[in-house]
Amino acid sequence: MLAKRLTALGGLALSVLLLSLGSNVEYGEEAYFFPNLLTYFLFGFALVLLVTDGELLGWLKDIADFLWRWMFGIVGQGNPARWPDVVRLIPMFIIILLYLYFADIVGMYATSFLAFVLITVIYTPLRPRSRSVLKNCFIGALFTGAIYLIFSVLLQLQTPSAWLI
Amino acid sequence: MLKKITKTLQTSALAFAVAGTAILPQLAQAEAYPDRPVSMVVSYSPGGATDFQARIVTMLAGKEDYLGQPMVILNKPGAGGKVGWDFFASKAKKNGYELAAYNVPHFIAQSIVFKTKYNIDNLEPIANWGADPAVLIVGKDSPFNTLEDLMNYAKENPGKVTFSGAGLYVGHHIAYLQFAKASGLELTYVPHKGGTPAMKSVMGGQVKAGFNNLSDAFRNRDSVKILAVADLERNKEFLPDVPTFMEQGVDVDDSSVNFRGIMARKGTPTEVVDYLAQRVPMMFEDKKTLKKMDSAGSPVRVIPRDQVITMWKEREAYLKELLADLKK
Amino acid sequence: MLEFLQYLPDVFTPWNFLVLVLGTVGGLILGATPGLSPTMAVALLIPFTFHMEPATGLILLGAAYTATVAGGAVSAILLSIPGAPANIATTLDGNPLAKQGKATAALHYCFLASFVGGVLGVLVLIFFTPTLSQWALGFGPSHLFWVAILGVTVIGSLGSGSVIKGLFAGFVGLWISTIGYDPVLGVERFNYSEHLGGGINIIAALVGLFAIPQVLSMLTPQDLPGGVTKFAMEAQSIATSIRDTLVRWKALLVGSVIGVVVGLIPGAGGQIAGLVSYDQTKKMSRDKAKFGKGEPAGVIAAESANNAMVGPSLVPLLTLSVPGSPTAAVLLGGLLIHGLFPGPALFSDHGPVVWTFINSLLVGQLLMCIFGIMISRYSRFVMDIPEYYMAAAITVLAVFGTFSVQNSFSDVFVMMGLGVTMYFASKIGFSPSPVVLGIILGPIAETNFLQGQIIARVGDGMVPYFFGGALNITLVTIVVLSVVYSVVSEMKAKRQQRAAQQADDDGYVVEKEA
């Protein structure tokens, strides 16, 4: 039940945050009626979520454990020896950030190709070898080519002008 | 792919060349312009009136007599046009290869009411292609047959006459404000998310009247009655029988007319702007373009650059005054 | 009435038929690409039709509309990523079916149901256009407000095991929809970054919320090495699929009828047709527990509804120039470019073009079904791709798909942000469908409430305006019934569950499984 309680608390915190965002506004107060009404609903739902489980005491010590499990832990069954999910995803998050940052500077197709190759090389379950990297590059180029055909040729998408394509 | 790469290399070479205009003689660059496709930002979604008109008027850009290079439409819709114009006024390159379509009075009114990155001082008009006046419409089954009927009813029932229009601070809203001010009547404005839903509300009888585009009202003339045109003179092409507000004694001028045209960012080399200002109106007036515009039901009004500059200034001065009353 | 038969041969001229086939196959592929929604596919194809004959151009747009709507179900079933908002309901049962190795069957159900719904929709368009267009016009702000509220009542029953979590997620979605500039109020809300200025684009949200959590969980398989549990594909004969589909005629009927009705209502947004009919089919079914775990009736209801919507969404468009769905709104531009002005005179002035277009929609439904079933045979190749390749491909597609909606990198940032947040939320039992539904319904509910408020204030007053009239009363009754029914069945289910699960008090594991 801890997960539910924490979710509820998170929900309460979110609704309070959203309400404060909608309360201090420069102009057009009446326009915030609807979003603020929604946050009251959110608050109510979170409250229901909190109240519907019986015992409200004796769960603080579990918080840290749960947060750990949520962020890093293996939920359900799994191999305890492997890296936690979030740690495994760190390279992916870095790739996403770099991808989005450089997409309109270097060029959408070039960065897409690099992102594709990086993801496949990093997340191959096998040990990357030069031959498999080459294969990844080839597939990446093929895929980027297909994307180019669909978006730029068929649908006439205008990609932002950048260093490369 | 390879072709694209070489093209990109050329492009970057050109970008360096443009960056180096301070050193290089400006003439050389002006002579070369344009040597690659020119893009044009449209701040509304594909399929909308501004978008398809922009596509029609630029379809002949590739002809040697005009630009000799095609113009590519880039849709950046959002927030009633604000997203596209904000992008244009802050990110577009000032080399004449990145242009945008404007909608007066929308962008001027927005620059007055909101914090925007654009205003008439950091944009440079090239030429105007179309003018779509706002018209006053009522449903087919409405008891009002003339503007007078409607005004008499409104006098007896203050606030009870509801008007639809495409949102706030757009041509329709400005026409409404002018009408309310000039007639001294108490009326109610119901903003809609675009001209089509506003038209639907009039047809379905959800509102008693509405302001909408002349072209859209003309197309729907079987389902609505058109009572008055908010322009200086009647529209001879499409609605020769519908009188203007002025003719019927209500002081509503052409300030709400939706002008559409092409603009560049301020700081674009003068040679490029002059080149465009000379060639673009010719492109608008090509017989093929005019025919296509006519068959799409879009009123054309080609206005050269110098007159557009004055038009923008007049509009801004007037809108500042009109909207100042509203904000309080 | 039977005028349309006269123009049927025009569809089969070599050039028109070629365009129809290409449009259908292309549409299926585009529709299956996450991020390429029918609205966008039609919008991006309009410039192509510029230099075509009007009839040919419209055939291309119509074929793309029909096929992308059905194609969106392919990725919904195989990857649990709906190709368009209309396909959200398909993921709920389609993906569990695929995970049981019945992906081919699920795809067959989907295309067969789409065909039945689609044909019914086009027939409504052919025979009832004049009658129904007047009816569609009668929907004012108060009615649309209630339609949106009906959509909100569906939220709770979507996806995640707990109703209250579903509602919470749905209301977060509703709140997200208030970000950005509102043309009715003329105010910019929660505009903290320039990336939010244009509001949250629905397609960007859809792609982010569904695709990114999928990508991230593909990259963190539960057992290493080996990865995500692969599910083998079973062969399924078409005859069996047809029989299975026809046996579930109730779902087919409910789905098609709701699809037709929702499609007719201008401004309701056809996107909710699939979800509403899924919800109704579930409520009418005897074993509700099967839904969400791979019940073919769920796929059939959702897919017949979203294709049944296509024809009727053109009813108010062609006669009154009032589009019934966002895609129909884009199609309006396509018509105008060719000088075809929708209105009562359209059928008399441009009869041949319009009838050829409508006929092509009818033939397109058949082609969509045939090519769709052919494509389903190859879907096993999609399933055999190693998940790290899949993850990389979906990431790139998500970025391109989102960017191409409005040429905007802001949308791409929003998409990624929402997606990564959703990944963490999904680990504590929230699902993306209610959020997306909230984002769709928010503007409909708010805009129509505000407009209704303005009109009611100067008119009859709030209560008569929102509750008066036959249509309002009907809609309110449906909303109330829907809520009461949900509450009662939820309580019944709870009681049974409590009796069964006295021993297992660990809610966490239960939610994980749901």
Side-chain angles (χ1 to χ4, degrees), chain B residues 11-74:
Chain B
T11 316
S12 32
L14 192 108
F16 280 111
V18 170
T21 38
I23 316 155
L24 290 170
Q26 299 229 326
L27 249 173
Q29 189 219 339
E31 265 171 28
Y33 179 88
D35 63 353
R36 60 192 165 97
V38 177
S39 74
M40 181 162 102
V41 175
V42 169
S43 306
Y44 295 97
S45 352
T50 305
D51 174 72
F52 81 72
Q53 290 189 10
R55 287 179 196 277
I56 293 173
V57 296
T58 57
M59 68 183 177
L60 296 176
K63 258 176 113 175
E64 267 323 307
D65 304 350
Y66 306 133
L67 295 188
Q69 286 290 341
M71 283 181 85
V72 192
I73 305 288
L74 198 62

Side-chain angles (χ1 to χ4, degrees), chain C residues 357-417:
Chain C
F357 168 57
I358 293 176
N359 285 326
S360 79
L361 286 177
L362 203 57
V363 180
Q365 298 290 349
L366 186 64
L367 290 178
M368 174 271 294
C369 184
I370 294 170
F371 286 115
I373 287 175
M374 277 163 71
I375 287 175
S376 2
R377 198 183 304 166
Y378 303 107
S379 54
R380 67 172 70 237
F381 296 120
V382 177
M383 307 311 307
D384 284 343
I385 298 172
E387 59 276 3
Y388 54 97
Y389 276 121
M390 209 64 209
I394 294 174
T395 311
V396 172
L397 273 177
V399 168
F400 270 88
T402 309
F403 176 78
S404 62
V405 180
Q406 339 190 49
N407 293 299
S408 156
F409 266 104
S410 303
D411 287 349
V412 179
F413 297 144
V414 166
M415 182 272 291
M416 274 298 174

Side-chain angles (χ1 to χ4, degrees), chain B residues 191-231:
Chain B
H192 283 61
K193 289 194 168 182
T196 316
M199 177 70 80
K200 192 230 129 213
S201 281
V202 175
M203 284 194 233
Q206 280 95 28
V207 291
K208 292 204 169 67
F211 279 98
N212 219 300
N213 299 329
L214 184 138
S215 57
D216 292 312
F218 170 74
R219 277 198 293 271
N220 290 302
R221 61 194 176 282
D222 296 323
S223 333
V224 295
K225 286 187 272 193
I226 307 169
L227 302 186
V229 181
D231 200 350

